[in-house]
Amino acid sequence: MKEFSEQTRLNNLQAMQDEELDLLVIGGGITGSGITLDAQTRGIKTGLVEMRDFASGTSSRSTKLVHGGLRYLKQAAINEVHEVGSERAIVYNNAPQITTPLKMMLPFYDGGTFGPFSTAIGLDVYDRLAQVKSSERKYMLDPQRTTDREPFIKSENLKGSGVYVEYRTDDARLTLEVVKKASELGALIANYTKVTGLLYDENNHINGVKFEDMIGGTTGEIHAKKVINSCGPWVDEIRDMDGSNEGKHLHLTKGVHLVIDHEKFPISNSIYFDTPFHDGRMMFAIPREGKTYIGTTDTTWNEDPKEPDITVKDVTYILAAANQMFDLPEQLTPDDVEAGWSGVRPLIQEEGKSPSEISRKDEIFHAESGLLSIAGGKLTGYRKMAEKIVNEVAFELASETDYEYQSQQTENLTLSGGDVGGDEGWELYREEMTELGIVTYKLEREDAEKLVQRYGSNVVDVYDLIPDEDFKDNLPRIDWAMLQYGLKAEMVEHPIDYLLRRSSQMLFDINHMKAIEDEVINYMSSYYDWSEETKQTMTDEVNEKLKLTDLSDIKKAYHEHIATEI
């Protein structure tokens, strides 16, 4: 087992203070993590600090798809489709354990955005631009075959559908496996480390940061030849610190997704569909782990990006779209929603231009101080975003120091947990490791499959932690092993790190999560020797997040509205 623990975090913070880095990355979402991995593989001594947990912002709140960029075709963004589609295949090959191919249905109706001809042509162009494998290329279905394949799609005015491939992922774990790989290669990484100020040399050139350890409370300075600001929705805050926030700024938009039990929303296919409101929006409905999740919204967000709320309007909009698109056993209501998540997209808007001209592309900002900032882009394109900005850093270091320029090394670099023989070897590996869990560790098949899917080749380390007894420290044996692994090898510092981002239980197994949350907090309190005050803070953090996730306030408002109507 490769250690990546609280002790690792403390050691890394000390090492970053002891010796100047070549590069310091601020922000531990998918962009900052990808930059750190790319730079470290090129022989650039790299550090990363994240003010909360890895992927705690936008990078754990996406639609959880490694997109091929089909939607870009509507804007004739040919280069974007080609680049993002190509990157999707690379992500899948480097981390097949957390990137699952899905057949996605795109139904079309009278009066809808797409028709039979435009869908067929669009998907053909998409397949070619995205370099889709021949076995995964699109095919078209007539109305009858569409409803045969997915009986819950509404048949009224249905003209048919196109079927193509997208890739479902666990965005938080994808980010984490990138971080862990960077750590394995020598990058110095610390979560819960907040940048509180920037440092400059006598020429007013940025050469480091001031920080506060959000766990231990200590402060310090980290010096680096280059600094990259990859803070997602907080990019402009760092630019404000630098006095360089001008020209273009972030425009945040909020996206909401809802999770519903599969019995209530029993589709067996992933569906990409027009909302029935003629507002130009499209939604995904995706089966996962006995649930179906659906989203997303797209509304401007001007408040704190840390925890964007989910409103009654958000919920009713998504449920209305589902109820009009699908013939379900019963109409969905807020009571059927088990969980939801909300995040903000950091889009880029130029001063003097209208909101309709907001860019969804990634962009690099160069400040006079030397601070490099990057924002925008998509989860799928994280590796290319990293390559572009690290190219600039590498060229600068090669011209200013004795560093010898190296090009990117990540295209064929297996991520942590991805040593499974690539995408071609994954199915055999998954079955072998599932059987190992069943035979050697006496697991149920479903539990073994979930562990292999979550941890990939690291599952052997998790298996070795599974106790013989059904419960240990009042935790079910699988949770006990997963939590141990999280503490020792995945830098779990707060209970919410495990309950939400490492295990996804708060989203896709919320009843189980509620059953174990107290014992997880109790165990971590003992493990880290927390004071009663700290333990209460951690408990409050979980409960506040849970209140947002299970939509208890919205359900209450819904019932009060019904009572008023009656």
Side-chain angles (χ1 to χ4, degrees), residues 138-372:
K138 67 88 177 170
Y139 53 89
M140 305 299 291
L141 300 176
D142 62 23
Q144 184 60 54
R145 291 174 66 204
T146 296
T147 53
D148 286 346
R149 181 180 177 92
E150 183 49 72
F152 294 102
I153 288 179
K154 276 200 171 158
S155 58
E156 185 179 355
N157 297 320
L158 177 67
K159 291 297 183 182
S161 64
V163 181
Y164 68 105
V165 169
E166 288 284 24
Y167 288 66
R168 187 184 67 207
T169 192
D170 183 328
D171 47 8
R173 290 208 62 85
L174 176 61
T175 302
L176 182 68
E177 303 299 11
V178 174
V179 165
K180 287 162 61 181
K181 186 65 175 185
S183 176
E184 290 171 20
L185 296 175
L188 301 173
I189 295 167
N191 57 359
Y192 292 100
T193 303
K194 183 177 182 179
V195 169
T196 57
L198 304 178
L199 301 172
Y200 300 88
D201 63 17
E202 63 276 6
N203 298 316
N204 205 32
H205 192 277
I206 191 166
N207 67 354
V209 303
K210 299 176 183 179
F211 74 86
E212 179 182 357
D213 179 349
M214 304 304 289
I215 292 175
T218 58
T219 60
E221 295 182 352
I222 299 170
H223 287 85
K225 297 181 181 73
K226 303 293 174 182
V227 178
I228 292 178
N229 163 25
S230 59
C231 294
W234 293 271
V235 157
D236 280 354
E237 290 190 18
I238 300 296
R239 294 173 74 202
D240 283 336
M241 281 187 193
D242 185 57
S244 57
N245 188 11
E246 55 188 25
K248 294 182 179 181
H249 306 282
L250 295 189
H251 178 103
L252 305 183
T253 67
K254 183 181 75 169
V256 172
H257 296 78
L258 305 179
V259 180
I260 299 161
D261 191 85
H262 192 254
E263 287 190 7
K264 295 282 188 178
F265 200 163
I267 58 172
S268 53
N269 295 268
S270 296
I271 315 290
Y272 184 38
F273 64 96
D274 266 323
T275 61
F277 312 122
H278 305 291
D279 58 1
R281 293 286 304 152
M282 296 193 73
M283 282 192 186
F284 291 97
I286 301 172
R288 172 177 169 172
E289 298 180 43
K291 312 294 177 186
T292 301
Y293 69 92
I294 182 169
T296 178
T297 59
D298 191 21
T299 53
T300 294
W301 183 255
N302 294 317
E303 300 176 47
D304 186 351
K306 182 179 178 183
E307 290 297 345
D309 63 357
I310 300 176
T311 66
V312 172
K313 185 176 180 180
D314 296 327
V315 173
T316 54
Y317 175 85
I318 293 173
L319 294 183
N323 285 329
Q324 292 187 54
M325 178 67 203
F326 299 97
D327 277 321
L328 299 173
E330 294 180 5
Q331 291 274 290
L332 297 172
T333 74
D335 281 340
D336 298 318
V337 180
E338 292 189 355
W341 69 88
S342 176
V344 294
R345 308 173 187 89
L347 308 180
I348 299 167
Q349 183 172 2
E350 191 168 353
E351 287 179 355
K353 292 195 174 181
S354 70
S356 64
E357 297 176 279
I358 294 169
S359 171
R360 291 176 182 261
K361 298 178 184 178
D362 58 276
E363 192 157 344
I364 297 170
F365 303 98
H366 302 79
E368 288 186 12
S369 67
L371 175 69
L372 289 171

Side-chain angles (χ1 to χ4, degrees), residues 483-502:
L483 180 57
Q484 288 293 309
Y485 183 74
L487 293 166
K488 296 174 180 178
E490 296 192 332
M491 209 173 276
V492 166
E493 302 287 345
H494 288 202
I496 197 70
D497 303 343
Y498 171 76
L499 295 168
L500 178 59
R501 287 174 288 276
R502 305 297 186 274

Side-chain angles (χ1 to χ4, degrees), residues 525 530-539:
S525 179
W530 288 334
S531 66
E532 282 301 316
E533 181 182 6
T534 299
K535 182 179 179 181
Q536 188 58 54
T537 299
M538 297 294 182
T539 303

Side-chain angles (χ1 to χ4, degrees), residues 58-72:
T58 303
S59 296
S60 61
R61 308 180 195 210
S62 71
T63 305
K64 306 186 188 304
L65 290 174
V66 178
H67 281 295
L70 176 63
R71 69 182 70 181
Y72 293 145

